[in-house]
Amino acid sequence: MIVSAATAVIDGRTCRPGWVRTSGRHILECGSGEAPGPPDVHFPDCVVVPGFIDMHVHGGGGESFTDGRSSGVAEFHLRHGTTTMLASLVTAAPDELLSAVADLAEATRSGMVAGIHLEGPWLSPARCGAHDHTLMRSPHPAEIDAVLAAADGTIRMVTLAPELAGSAEAIRRFRDADVVVAVGHTNANYEQTRGAIALGATVGTHLFNAMPPLDHRDPGPVLALLTDPRVTVELIADGVHVDPEMVRAVLQWLGPDRVALVTDAIAAAGYGDGAYRLGAVPIDVESGVARVRGTPTIAGSTATMDEMFRLVAELSTLADAVQTTSATPARALGLDRMGRLQAGYDANLVVLDRDLQVHKVMHNGIWHPSAASGTTAKP
């Protein structure tokens, strides 16, 4: 199949016009200019970009990974252009954690998600955010081994607080198991964060959120994560978690190849205001902002990747929006053959209209309904 469009971002280059030839689940070739043959599908006034990759998402469309409803979450975000995602779990009791990991291991093997992200339970109670602080604990080798066994190779990333007792050994154990280690929900100082990076941590979980703020006398984890070229930082560019001007500043400082946009979306994404739960924690959503009930604490987001793509395209460039929503998260997670429109890569692409709204989505060579085809509404 040949797909042509007024604009296509091909392997980081903005081509006007551009085209992509697919066969089955893969891209055969792509390029700038007119297509090499009559296109099977032509999108005038549209932009073709790689499918979005969300490395931090808990739910959407009224459903949550913690409730074992992987298909509903994946289908909702697919309509908004996310063709690849990690299923993020929040802090839970040991038995509940193992059960959720086993369920999501099946979802990973079926191809519904690209792996599991454990955001907890090895986090700092002082920076618990929307996690249940009573269930947080220091990493213990026996629990780590049990979790890895239950996952059977499907855990792709784990977020932990490096100041906790046993964290150094935990980082080594996860890296030995080819799991990406992220620093987050932490009260660590600059030196402790640098130590975690030296041991193999390569991601900063939702930079600025759930960690001490940058201070000129006590730089803390933020400066350590920003200044080390080995680290990819997550940003929740929803206009709530991080001010857009801060997003712009980080992009200018680091460049888009070190910034991965993430939604940190909960079940409320696309489902409206109301009462929800994130694991054991009650959440209220008002005017699209999720907070822990009765507190000012932000509790994940109601955003989708296409919204954040539009924000970065406005703040910076179309190419930067593509890099931060596709190529950078793919590289950070070690997802080969994903995140670019390039020969040999997976046939995952998003067609955006002139307003950068999702028009059509291709996942593994198959066209799927977009958000424009219908939305999820609360009954």
Side-chain angles (χ1 to χ4, degrees), residues 130-224:
H131 293 246
D132 186 343
H133 67 92
T134 67
L135 296 176
M136 290 179 174
R137 48 201 182 268
S138 294
H140 189 278
E143 182 173 34
I144 292 173
D145 288 345
V147 168
L148 290 172
D152 192 23
T154 60
I155 294 176
R156 192 168 284 274
M157 185 167 78
V158 58
T159 295
L160 54 77
E163 72 273 21
L164 298 180
S167 64
E169 183 178 352
I171 293 171
R172 295 189 189 96
R173 180 71 182 90
F174 282 120
R175 293 303 300 126
D176 287 344
D178 292 324
V179 174
V180 174
V181 176
V183 173
H185 284 275
T186 176
N187 217 28
N189 60 29
Y190 177 83
E191 290 76 16
Q192 289 168 324
T193 307
R194 290 287 299 162
I197 296 169
L199 288 171
T202 56
V203 171
T205 294
H206 44 53
L207 186 71
F208 304 119
N209 298 112
M211 61 181 65
L214 183 64
D215 183 272
H216 63 293
R217 291 192 180 93
D218 185 11
V222 173
L223 190 66

Side-chain angles (χ1 to χ4, degrees), residues 295-357:
T295 79
T297 301
I298 299 173
S301 87
T302 61
T304 51
M305 287 293 283
D306 56 324
E307 296 174 39
M308 293 189 293
F309 182 99
R310 289 189 289 273
L311 176 66
V312 170
E314 180 180 345
L315 291 172
S316 187
T317 66
L318 183 64
D320 284 355
V322 169
Q323 180 74 31
T324 55
T325 57
S326 300
T328 296
R331 178 191 51 76
L333 295 174
L335 295 172
D336 297 331
R337 307 295 180 181
M338 291 186 185
R340 294 182 180 273
L341 300 184
Q342 183 176 328
Y345 275 52
D346 290 352
N348 296 330
L349 56 88
V350 182
V351 181
L352 303 167
D353 66 18
R354 64 178 64 191
D355 297 318
L356 300 183
Q357 302 285 336

Side-chain angles (χ1 to χ4, degrees), residues 1-8 10 17-22 29-31 33-43 47-49 341 347 349-351 360 362 365 367:
M1 174 186 293
I2 297 178
V3 178
S4 66
T7 305
I10 307 291
W19 55 272
V20 180
R21 186 200 296 268
T22 67
E29 55 181 338
C30 45
E34 298 300 323
D40 297 281
V41 189
H42 179 58
F43 297 103
V47 182
V48 175
V49 300
L341 300 184
L349 56 88
V350 182
V351 181
K360 286 186 78 70
M362 178 184 283
W367 292 110

